[in-house]
Amino acid sequence: MREQPRSDTGRDPKLVTALIVHPGRAEGAALRAVLDVGEQIRVVARTEDGGTATTLTQRLRPAVILLDDRIATPDYRELVRTLARQSRVIIMTAATECTTITALLRDPVRGCLVYGQFEAADLREAVRAVAAGLGWLSPVAVAAASWQLRGRRRPVATALTGTDTIGLR
């Protein structure tokens, strides 16, 4: 029987390592439970603190970091930049406003997941895709990015009805 190829570090090259940075213990544990299903993703650590996230990233070198935008830190944007220099970052947010999401996307992130806009399978697929060098956006984040790219023009449906057809203003 042929042995499975391994990377120089002795790790399975198909295994994606992840770090969860989330201020809520229960929510962070739930994210870990979703990701630890199967053999493709392994959560190497979970923290509720930005400083600890930086230390863990330097020590563990996770392929992907899931970073909640509510994490307490003196300078959130600097935290994102620091983490992104060493790993691929997926921002997780409850925000649905175009301006908030586009501000998050200006940082060096590879993905943006909006709570309530993704299923467990989407979370796992986002982590695998981002680890492979691709990006991943929740549908509302795609809408926000296109809104920004179109020069913040409101869709015709919005101008006619006064509401945005996808729930964004």
Side-chain angles (χ1 to χ4, degrees), residues 60-159:
L60 301 173
R61 303 282 185 198
V64 176
I65 299 170
L66 291 164
L67 177 63
D68 187 280
D69 68 339
R70 297 168 294 175
I71 202 76
T73 185
D75 186 345
Y76 182 80
R77 296 190 78 195
E78 183 56 32
L79 174 64
V80 173
R81 287 190 288 270
T82 299
L83 297 176
R85 281 193 287 273
Q86 298 177 49
S87 296
R88 294 176 172 124
V89 177
I90 298 174
I91 295 294
M92 302 186 75
T93 183
T96 57
E97 303 81 25
C98 285
T99 53
T100 303
I101 291 174
T102 55
L104 292 171
L105 292 175
R106 283 190 188 97
D107 290 326
V109 299
R110 296 291 185 103
C112 179
L113 293 172
V114 178
Y115 294 113
Q117 302 290 319
F118 63 91
E119 305 277 332
D122 299 325
L123 175 61
R124 289 188 293 271
E125 188 58 31
V127 169
R128 286 191 295 269
V130 167
L134 302 173
W136 191 277
L137 300 174
S138 291
V140 70
V142 171
S146 20
W147 172 78
Q148 179 68 33
L149 291 171
R150 288 191 312 263
R152 300 180 181 164
R153 291 186 304 258
R154 293 171 62 167
V156 174
T158 303

Side-chain angles (χ1 to χ4, degrees), residues 15-48:
L15 177 69
V16 175
T17 55
L19 169 65
I20 297 171
V21 185
H22 195 290
R25 285 187 183 176
E27 296 90 344
L31 290 169
R32 182 178 208 143
V34 167
L35 293 175
D36 277 342
V37 171
E39 299 176 4
Q40 295 181 330
I41 301 169
R42 181 170 55 92
V43 176
V44 293
R46 183 177 61 81
T47 183
E48 301 165 15

